[in-house]
Amino acid sequence: MVLPHEPEFQQAYNELVSALEDSTLFTEKPEYKKVIPVVSVPERIIQFRVAWENDNGDVEVNNGYRVQFNSALGPFKGGLRFHPSVNLSILKFLGFEQIFKNALTGLSMGGGKGGCDFNPKGRTDSEIRRFCVAFMRQLARYIGSDTDVPAGDIGVGSREVGYMFGAYKQMQNNWSGILTGKGLSWGGSLIRPEATGYGVVYFVEKMIEKATGGKESFKGKRVAISGSGNVAQYAALKVIELGSTVVSLSDSKGCIISQTGITPDQIKAIAAAKIHFKTLEEITKESASLFSGSNEVQYIAGVRPWTHCGQVDVALPSATQNEVSGEEAKALVEAGCKFIAEGSNMGSTKEAIDVFEANRSKAVWYAPGKAANCGGVAVSGLEMAQNSQRVTWAAEEVDEKLKNIMYTCFDNCYANAAKYSAEKDAENLPSLLKGANITGFIKVADAMFDQGEVF
């Protein structure tokens, strides 16, 4: 498959296929090759216009999409992204990744993704509400609790989910769990905001334990994190709780570095300001006293953190796709980084992944986003289950289920990486890149065979 007009989707497709072909899976089970051309094409793509009125009374028009990629394992499940960069290539890449990510959770969810090229930054609450109602007016006919259950993503938080849920309820005269990420008082799940960040940390816990024979943990580790949204914030808070030092966070304008460690109070201040779309530069200037002193934070404009954080043990890319280049990957390895796990989707370029994979014999271990960040959609699946039963589970119960899902995901990826390894050299660590792709693919492929979608 060659799709030069869809580079993000092409990259995701190439990653899956190359991981499968560089294993013994197709040699041992050649029938699985039949699945590739089928699973790589969405079941359907819905594109629609979103016409809405701004506060000046002018009509604006945006492009809305829903890519319903694969429903072999359950209803389509995946986020909605509101961002000016949204296009079909990005949504196809995200939806394609979502198929196998959802499979890795062990829950009954298919894969999909959607969104709009609407930019919520600088908009009033009234404008965002009117936009969300107009967006849902077009999307409502294509979703349902047993058909397609969207969630939030970049630009879509609990406020936007609330507006869209209310619009759906009024239009359909139907209260059902058709969106996840809802408010806690009306069907949402505890731990959902924290889930992706916590899940990445739980996955890396198992990586550290396996790689060191149980001799090491997060305690005493230096952790570089990119991003400053929900994923980065909660990953940072969790690793601090586990005894690590967080040396960096970032946004699209630059990064902050603290060699002595970013503190929980600093992270909470960033979280409060990010609701109002403030940049890290603005936050550190407006709260200068909080970001100085013994835990002084340095802001560096126009860069990502990977080449500025000094010695580091763990790297968690948690911002957006392709945020670690080949040169930055080399810098991380040279800085002593042993564990890299993506909190973002496809956070590393192919060149970066090649660097990480080439250093596995030196105990450098890389985990792709489809495995490492599946905690968010896992708790979305748990929210769907709670909605179906009309119950709410305690935070401790949801957190324990999340932890078990991430631990099981790691175990399955590790086992299949070892089982289907085609490598002749004696490696210390099997490839989790291959293990994640193989594990998710087998589960989806078996369901497609059983349902007659491939024969």
Side-chain angles (χ1 to χ4, degrees):
M1 181 181 289
V2 180
L3 297 167
H5 58 293
E6 296 180 348
E8 293 87 0
F9 175 60
Q10 183 76 65
Q11 183 181 343
Y13 171 88
N14 290 345
E15 180 193 296
L16 176 83
V17 174
S18 62
L20 299 177
E21 289 179 340
D22 196 23
S23 72
T24 62
L25 180 65
F26 290 157
T27 303
E28 296 180 26
K29 300 179 179 180
E31 66 273 17
Y32 278 134
K33 275 192 174 182
K34 296 180 180 180
V35 177
I36 297 293
V38 183
V39 78
S40 302
V41 177
E43 292 184 26
R44 66 191 60 84
I45 295 174
I46 301 147
Q47 183 171 352
F48 48 88
R49 74 179 180 212
V50 184
W52 60 284
E53 188 178 88
N54 65 26
D55 284 348
N56 294 325
D58 299 322
V59 174
E60 297 191 35
V61 182
N62 291 97
N63 298 296
Y65 308 87
R66 187 66 179 172
V67 179
Q68 296 179 333
F69 225 119
N70 190 285
S71 60
L73 296 178
F76 303 106
K77 185 81 189 81
L80 295 170
R81 177 174 293 192
F82 293 167
H83 192 272
S85 68
V86 164
N87 59 41
L88 200 52
S89 176
I90 287 175
L91 294 180
K92 283 182 67 179
F93 127 62
L94 291 168
F96 190 63
E97 290 276 290
Q98 201 77 47
I99 301 168
F100 309 105
K101 179 190 299 188
N102 293 358
L104 288 169
T105 68
L107 303 175
S108 298
M109 299 181 291
K113 205 75 177 184
C116 188
D117 56 8
F118 169 75
N119 187 357
K121 289 186 179 180
R123 299 292 187 176
T124 65
D125 280 351
S126 294
E127 287 178 322
I128 289 173
R129 178 179 54 80
R130 286 195 293 273
F131 171 80
C132 288
V133 170
F135 182 86
M136 182 52 74
R137 188 178 294 124
Q138 300 302 319
L139 183 64
R141 70 198 76 176
Y142 305 110
I143 64 175
S145 57
D146 295 316
T147 305
D148 185 349
V149 184
D153 194 82
I154 294 172
V156 179
S158 59
R159 173 183 56 176
E160 291 76 18
V161 168
Y163 291 152
M164 287 189 284
F165 183 88
Y168 179 91
K169 181 166 63 74
Q170 290 177 8
M171 283 184 275
Q172 303 289 350
N173 190 30
N174 182 326
W175 199 112
S176 60
I178 50 88
L179 287 162
T180 55
K182 298 185 291 297
L184 294 178
S185 62
W186 49 278
S189 175
L190 291 161
I191 305 297
R192 177 60 192 92
E194 301 92 333
T196 308
Y198 281 13
V200 172
V201 174
Y202 295 150
F203 195 94
V204 177
E205 267 193 312
K206 291 292 288 185
M207 292 173 70
I208 296 171
E209 177 187 317
K210 194 74 171 181
T212 65
K215 296 177 182 177
E216 296 181 20
S217 67
F218 264 107
K219 189 172 183 179
K221 297 284 190 292
R222 290 173 59 84
V223 183
I225 301 176
S226 66
S228 49
N230 263 10
V231 180
Q233 292 165 20
Y234 287 113
L237 291 171
K238 178 57 73 172
V239 298
I240 291 171
E241 178 187 319
L242 295 174
S244 291
T245 300
V246 174
V247 297
S248 69
L249 291 171
S250 70
D251 62 15
S252 60
K253 304 295 184 182
C255 69
I256 56 174
I257 303 292
S258 174
Q259 296 300 335
T260 55
I262 297 169
T263 68
D265 285 343
Q266 290 168 342
I267 294 167
K268 290 171 185 175
I270 290 169
K274 281 290 179 179
I275 294 172
H276 304 289
F277 300 108
K278 291 189 177 181
T279 66
L280 288 176
E281 183 176 22
E282 291 171 331
I283 296 166
T284 53
K285 283 182 178 178
E286 291 174 6
S287 304
S289 60
L290 180 62
F291 289 89
S292 59
S294 60
N295 290 94
E296 184 171 3
V297 168
Q298 177 190 12
Y299 176 78
I300 309 175
V303 300
R304 296 184 288 230
W306 314 122
T307 57
H308 298 271
C309 46
Q311 185 270 324
V312 64
D313 303 294
V314 180
L316 304 178
S318 302
T320 189
Q321 66 264 20
N322 291 329
E323 56 174 308
V324 184
S325 68
E327 289 304 311
E328 288 168 324
K330 290 177 184 176
L332 281 170
V333 172
E334 290 171 2
C337 187
K338 296 298 185 183
F339 305 97
I340 304 95
E342 294 174 345
S344 54
N345 294 305
M346 205 165 71
S348 304
T349 63
K350 180 184 183 302
E351 294 75 19
I353 293 171
D354 289 344
V355 170
F356 297 141
E357 289 290 287
N359 282 278
R360 270 186 292 123
S361 59
K362 299 177 183 176
V364 173
W365 219 2
Y366 161 77
K370 60 170 58 74
N373 73 32
C374 74
V377 75
V379 174
S380 284
L382 298 179
E383 182 176 329
M384 291 166 64
Q386 292 171 80
N387 291 167
S388 296
Q389 299 172 53
R390 298 290 195 268
V391 298
T392 300
W393 297 331
E396 294 77 13
E397 184 176 0
V398 178
D399 193 29
E400 189 61 30
K401 290 178 185 291
L402 169 63
K403 186 178 294 186
N404 289 336
I405 287 169
M406 298 310 299
Y407 286 179
T408 301
C409 176
F410 171 84
D411 290 339
N412 291 338
C413 292
Y414 183 91
N416 278 321
K419 179 178 179 180
Y420 293 105
S421 175
E423 297 157 0
K424 300 293 188 291
D425 54 323
E427 299 253 293
N428 291 330
L429 300 168
S431 171
L432 293 176
L433 172 69
K434 295 175 187 175
N437 282 288
I438 291 167
T439 303
F441 176 79
I442 288 175
K443 185 166 184 180
V444 174
D446 286 347
M448 294 176 72
F449 277 117
D450 290 346
Q451 296 166 25
E453 296 180 45
V454 184
F455 42 85

